Amino acid sequence: MNLKNLILTITFLLSCNLFSQNTYVFLGSYNRDKSAEAIQVYQLDTLNEKLTKFTSAKNIINPSYLTVSPNGKYVYACTDTKTPNAGSISSFEFNTENKSLTFLNSQRSGGENPVYVSVHKSGKWIANANYTEGSVSVFPILENGKIDSIAQNFQYMDGSTHKERQTKSHVHSAVFSPQYDYLFLPDLGADKIRCYAFDENQKKPLMETQNPFTKTDLEAGPRHFTFHPNQKYGYCIEEMAGQISVYKYENGVLNKVQRIATHPDKIKEGFESSDVHISPDGKFLYATNRGKENNIAIFSIDENGLLKSIGYQSTLGKHPRVFAIDESGKFLVVSNVQTGNVIVFKRNPKTGFLKKTGKEIKIQDVSCVQIKRI
């Protein structure tokens, strides 16, 4: 090997090693002890396939869900979750050089029990869903990453047919459309996917549309929602029915084209489906089931956006509430609340199947996971 090739090889290896170190895994937990590490951040070594503790944050209660700003500098969390007459949204500054996650500020969430927060691609807005209160709130983000006072809050009272779980609205997530010009709100209590137009340049960005909601099947319990990378299809996981509904998407309108179970036919009841994500290449969809199953259902996606069940993977723990796929599509990380363990799976890009890799992380009552390459 001549000197030029040697230099190129060394440069390539160094760049690969550097690239492997800039992926971070953010983990929240249900922890009522303010002295405990409620949010923990790990570095994901994509070459050696292992997690290493990076930093953490204390002095907050029950960060049930997290999201990371587009530039990776800020973390936003649903806090004071599952706390009577409380609920807040908190901001943190994430600094990779100082290895720090620093609390910035909090705002009341506009409703009890916030369970989901999304950040706009501009980094100037966040939206959160309040489950118990049945409401949505939007907040401006200041230039320093702090959350400004609430801009809008809409509360809903309508429910559906289940006598125990659907007596009123329970908004379970707030998901921006692919172009970030609409906001979708799966409402478990009302069997609706609510929708607003979103104008980031307005002081009150949420605006009513001609199609304010899409009605789901009765007692479906729509929970989380995701879009296909081609932006043509949306997928809603239904917690109570254990199903995924597939929608053709265009300009804020959803038209259902398929409904498929997240579980084998032999399981007839006790569904607790939770989270749903699609691989970056758009070829596979993954959905978690809690309750009796505690697994990840794996589906292939055809050219028309339709799903085909191809298998199941145990999450190696109980109550997989939230999982995430890294931006490269090589890894899937799942958080098991009841067993307090975090498992890293490696994805086979050809088959879609998963294989555990590295050592599991133990975090009491771990509630959620997000992955960001910075």
Side-chain angles (χ1 to χ4, degrees):
M1 181 181 293
N2 59 41
L3 181 60
K4 182 178 179 180
N5 288 337
L6 178 61
I7 292 174
L8 289 173
T9 300
I10 293 174
T11 302
F12 174 76
L13 292 174
L14 288 173
S15 64
C16 286
N17 185 62
L18 179 64
F19 180 81
S20 73
Q21 302 298 324
N22 64 359
T23 298
Y24 298 90
V25 177
F26 300 81
L27 299 156
S29 60
Y30 292 120
N31 198 319
R32 297 185 181 277
D33 180 2
K34 279 195 171 185
S35 66
E37 297 175 311
I39 299 177
Q40 298 186 30
V41 184
Y42 283 76
Q43 202 168 34
L44 175 60
D45 187 329
T46 57
L47 285 181
N48 296 313
E49 303 175 1
K50 66 177 183 179
L51 290 173
T52 303
K53 183 74 169 294
F54 192 76
T55 188
S56 65
K58 301 179 180 180
N59 298 314
I60 52 170
I61 297 295
N62 287 10
S64 65
Y65 197 87
L66 311 172
T67 192
V68 185
S69 65
N71 61 13
K73 292 183 178 180
Y74 304 103
V75 176
Y76 301 101
C78 296
T79 42
D80 296 307
T81 300
K82 292 187 174 183
T83 304
N85 303 313
S88 59
I89 303 297
S90 300
S91 63
F92 303 81
E93 182 179 14
F94 180 54
N95 189 308
T96 56
E97 293 184 3
N98 297 336
K99 292 188 175 183
S100 62
L101 184 65
T102 305
F103 174 80
L104 296 176
N105 79 322
S106 289
Q107 296 282 3
R108 290 297 296 265
S109 60
E112 188 177 325
N113 198 12
V115 292
Y116 200 102
V117 60
S118 295
V119 60
H120 192 269
K121 68 175 180 179
S122 66
K124 297 179 179 180
W125 293 96
I126 57 171
N128 84 276
N130 299 302
Y131 180 83
T132 301
E133 200 81 5
S135 65
V136 60
S137 304
V138 292
F139 303 81
I141 300 297
L142 302 174
E143 290 186 3
N144 60 5
K146 290 185 177 181
I147 305 170
D148 204 350
S149 57
I150 194 168
Q152 284 174 291
N153 173 262
F154 293 106
Q155 185 174 352
Y156 316 101
M157 300 304 296
D158 51 323
S160 190
T161 58
H162 195 284
K163 294 181 179 179
E164 295 179 359
R165 301 196 61 189
Q166 295 182 313
T167 57
K168 65 182 295 292
S169 167
H170 295 300
V171 182
H172 217 308
S173 55
V175 179
F176 284 103
S177 63
Q179 297 298 322
Y180 287 81
D181 52 353
Y182 291 92
L183 183 70
F184 288 90
L185 308 166
D187 189 333
L188 182 147
D191 282 329
K192 293 177 178 178
I193 303 173
R194 304 183 189 273
C195 178
Y196 289 92
F198 194 94
D199 187 343
E200 62 173 299
N201 297 311
Q202 300 296 320
K203 291 184 178 180
K204 295 185 176 182
L206 292 181
M207 298 174 291
E208 293 184 2
T209 69
Q210 293 183 340
N211 299 280
F213 62 84
T214 299
K215 193 68 177 162
T216 69
D217 290 61
L218 294 178
E219 299 189 11
R223 180 183 170 98
H224 285 184
F225 192 88
T226 192
F227 285 95
H228 194 281
N230 67 15
Q231 305 183 10
K232 296 179 181 179
Y233 303 98
Y235 302 80
C236 185
I237 192 163
E238 299 167 355
E239 175 178 333
M240 295 170 58
Q243 303 275 333
I244 295 174
S245 285
V246 182
Y247 298 89
K248 190 171 183 180
Y249 173 72
E250 187 175 9
N251 296 327
V253 178
L254 301 172
N255 289 299
K256 189 165 68 174
V257 294
Q258 185 189 21
R259 193 171 188 238
I260 186 171
T262 64
H263 49 82
D265 292 340
K266 65 181 181 180
I267 299 179
K268 304 296 184 182
E269 60 182 1
F271 309 125
E272 291 187 48
S273 299
S274 53
D275 203 8
V276 59
H277 295 285
I278 295 174
S279 59
D281 61 12
K283 294 181 179 180
F284 298 96
L285 179 143
Y286 300 85
T288 41
N289 295 301
R290 299 166 296 176
K292 301 175 182 178
E293 299 173 76
N294 293 307
N295 64 19
I296 301 172
I298 307 171
F299 301 83
S300 61
I301 306 176
D302 70 14
E303 65 275 9
N304 297 312
L306 302 181
L307 302 179
K308 179 183 178 182
S309 177
I310 60 173
Y312 301 89
Q313 168 66 55
S314 168
T315 63
L316 306 177
K318 292 182 179 180
H319 206 80
R321 182 173 182 266
V322 177
F323 71 98
I325 301 173
D326 82 303
E327 295 171 52
S328 73
K330 294 180 180 178
F331 299 95
L332 184 153
V333 181
V334 63
S335 56
N336 294 299
V337 180
Q338 292 181 1
T339 46
N341 62 332
V342 179
I343 305 294
V344 180
F345 292 99
K346 191 171 184 179
R347 287 186 62 249
N348 184 317
K350 293 183 179 180
T351 66
F353 294 139
L354 305 172
K355 183 179 180 180
K356 181 182 180 296
T357 184
K359 295 182 179 180
E360 67 179 62
I361 302 297
K362 297 293 289 185
I363 298 177
Q364 182 179 348
D365 299 321
V366 61
S367 61
C368 62
V369 56
Q370 292 286 354
I371 307 174
K372 182 70 175 177
R373 189 169 66 206
I374 299 172

